[in-house]
Amino acid sequence: MRTIALEEHFTHPDMAVYSANTATIAEPRVWEDAVRHLLDFTELRIPAMDAAGLDMQVLSLNAPGIQAEKDTNVAIKRATFMNDTLAEAIGRNPDRFSGFAALPTQDPMAAANELERAVVELGLKGGVVNAHTHGKYLDDPSFRVLWERMVDLDVPLYLHPANGVDLPHVLSGHPELVGPMWSWGNDTASHVLRCVFGGVFDDFPEAKLMVGHMGEGLPYTLWRLDSRWSWHFHHGIKLKREKPSDYIRHNLYITTSGVCDNAPLQCALSAMGADHVLFSTDYPFEDLPTATSFLRDAPVSDEVRAKIAHGNAERLLKL
Ligand code: GRE
Ligand code: ZN
């Protein structure tokens, strides 16, 4: 069974300046080992893919990526360089790698232009954004130019987690809750809901947003979102569609990255439909064979397994 994974990370020595915060999440030796795998495209990665039966990785620059750069001009130059570097790596192994473009969201028009260059000239398949950009989220009106370009190019945006702009008070004194174990998923799910209630998908009904980690909890919440939206005072917020879940089912695609557990998979399939669930591993942060055997052994029909493993990715990314 052809198997394609969509949240697969790499990095470059120039990006080390941004990773100080993320590095503190892990023990130094664990982090060093992750960086060794992130910097490599072939010696460690391809044998690991072969051993796990993974045909293709759709690569993206590791979090926090370009979003962490404070200087807009540096962000634009660096995103261009990273996308060129990624395209070269893909060009050396085009049947094993594909990629999402890093976007200099510090300047939304530059991000739209870089997405277009990366898709049209470099053959990348969409964009990746890591959480906020200095406190700005993708529902900010300034980002409509980026959504518009995505829809024109018919490519998805992968929203990957990173640390929030500040520490939510409820997490104060609990640094162990900050990071991929807990805070990142909450932050990303909230970011998706900002896009829903911020009218992004009313303005761009065909926009395609992707999140990992089995949907960052969202598939579990749909009924309650709808029920409470119909009860709440809406503070003047209006949606064109009746229910919040209409947007999540239509505009959101989720990947299995970093979650190898049948219960949330069944929930995701039931809530989102099999056309909206795609395979991922979250390399190098999760174990590749664990992820591929989870997919192979999941109690789903072979038709659904094929959609998750490759069919949905082939359709959405035109692979
Ligand atoms: C991830 O992408 O899930 C991730 C990182 C960095 C550290 C741990 C982790 O990007 O799980
Ligand atoms: Zn990841």
Side-chain angles (χ1 to χ4, degrees):
M1 181 179 60
R2 188 179 190 210
T3 306
I4 302 169
L6 283 96
E7 188 187 314
E8 311 302 308
H9 304 304
F10 77 98
T11 195
H12 182 278
D14 290 358
M15 299 300 291
V17 288
Y18 308 121
S19 61
N21 266 339
T22 316
T24 63
I25 291 168
E27 296 285 348
R29 269 196 301 125
V30 172
W31 181 250
E32 275 162 33
D33 190 56
V35 170
R36 202 162 59 84
H37 286 80
L38 287 164
L39 288 168
D40 161 86
F41 286 106
T42 47
E43 274 169 38
L44 302 170
R45 198 179 290 258
I46 290 184
M49 290 167 66
D50 289 342
L54 180 57
D55 295 288
M56 178 174 273
Q57 283 193 336
V58 182
L59 299 166
S60 53
L61 199 53
N62 196 50
I66 296 295
Q67 275 64 56
E69 173 55 51
K70 291 206 171 72
D71 181 311
T72 300
N73 289 324
V74 174
I76 294 169
K77 282 206 196 85
R78 196 153 274 171
T80 306
F81 174 76
M82 292 303 158
N83 292 333
D84 289 345
T85 302
L86 172 56
E88 279 164 29
I90 295 167
R92 288 191 291 273
N93 285 286
D95 50 341
R96 305 309 298 277
F97 297 134
S98 185
F100 289 126
L103 302 179
T105 43
Q106 291 78 353
D107 176 343
M109 182 56 86
N113 292 340
E114 178 57 15
L115 177 67
E116 180 163 346
R117 185 189 78 90
V119 170
V120 174
E121 291 176 26
L122 305 179
L124 302 186
K125 303 301 179 187
V128 62
V129 169
N130 301 287
H132 67 95
T133 306
H134 308 303
K136 271 198 189 164
Y137 296 85
L138 293 166
D139 62 308
D140 191 278
S142 65
F143 284 122
R144 290 303 201 265
V145 292
L146 176 58
W147 289 104
E148 182 179 30
R149 201 71 64 91
M150 279 166 49
V151 171
D152 286 350
L153 294 164
D154 189 25
V155 294
L157 182 83
Y158 203 111
L159 178 60
H160 188 276
N163 284 341
V165 68
D166 53 14
L167 183 71
H169 190 66
V170 69
L171 302 183
S172 62
H174 283 270
E176 78 284 6
L177 297 179
V178 177
M181 186 186 86
W182 184 250
S183 71
W184 286 9
N186 281 194
D187 188 275
T188 308
S190 300
H191 197 159
V192 171
L193 294 178
R194 289 183 69 109
C195 292
V196 170
F197 293 102
V200 168
F201 306 122
D202 280 334
D203 289 353
F204 301 102
E206 295 318 315
K208 296 181 179 84
L209 180 61
M210 285 187 168
V211 297
H213 316 114
M214 211 64 93
E216 312 285 15
L218 286 167
Y220 202 78
T221 64
L222 298 190
W223 193 91
R224 183 152 175 87
L225 283 174
D226 292 347
S227 153
R228 295 302 87 188
W229 174 244
S230 73
W231 187 88
H232 268 220
F233 177 59
H234 291 171
H235 302 279
I237 299 292
K238 288 196 171 65
L239 293 180
K240 287 189 184 156
R241 292 174 180 256
E242 186 190 338
K243 297 180 298 203
S245 68
D246 292 336
Y247 299 91
I248 292 175
R249 288 197 170 96
H250 182 72
N251 299 99
L252 190 68
Y253 293 82
I254 71 166
T255 80
T256 64
S257 65
V259 179
C260 303
D261 188 8
N262 186 50
L265 175 66
Q266 296 299 335
C267 175
L269 288 167
S270 164
M272 309 282 299
D275 291 339
H276 283 246
V277 180
L278 296 87
F279 181 66
S280 274
T281 81
D282 217 351
Y283 181 93
F285 300 107
E286 293 282 351
D287 182 54
L288 278 191
T290 302
T292 51
S293 34
F294 163 64
L295 172 66
R296 228 155 271 138
D297 299 340
V300 299
S301 71
D302 285 343
E303 188 197 342
V304 166
R305 197 185 326 278
K307 285 183 178 192
I308 300 171
H310 62 93
N312 293 334
E314 288 162 348
R315 184 182 79 252
L316 284 170
L317 307 188
K318 304 177 199 91
L319 293 171

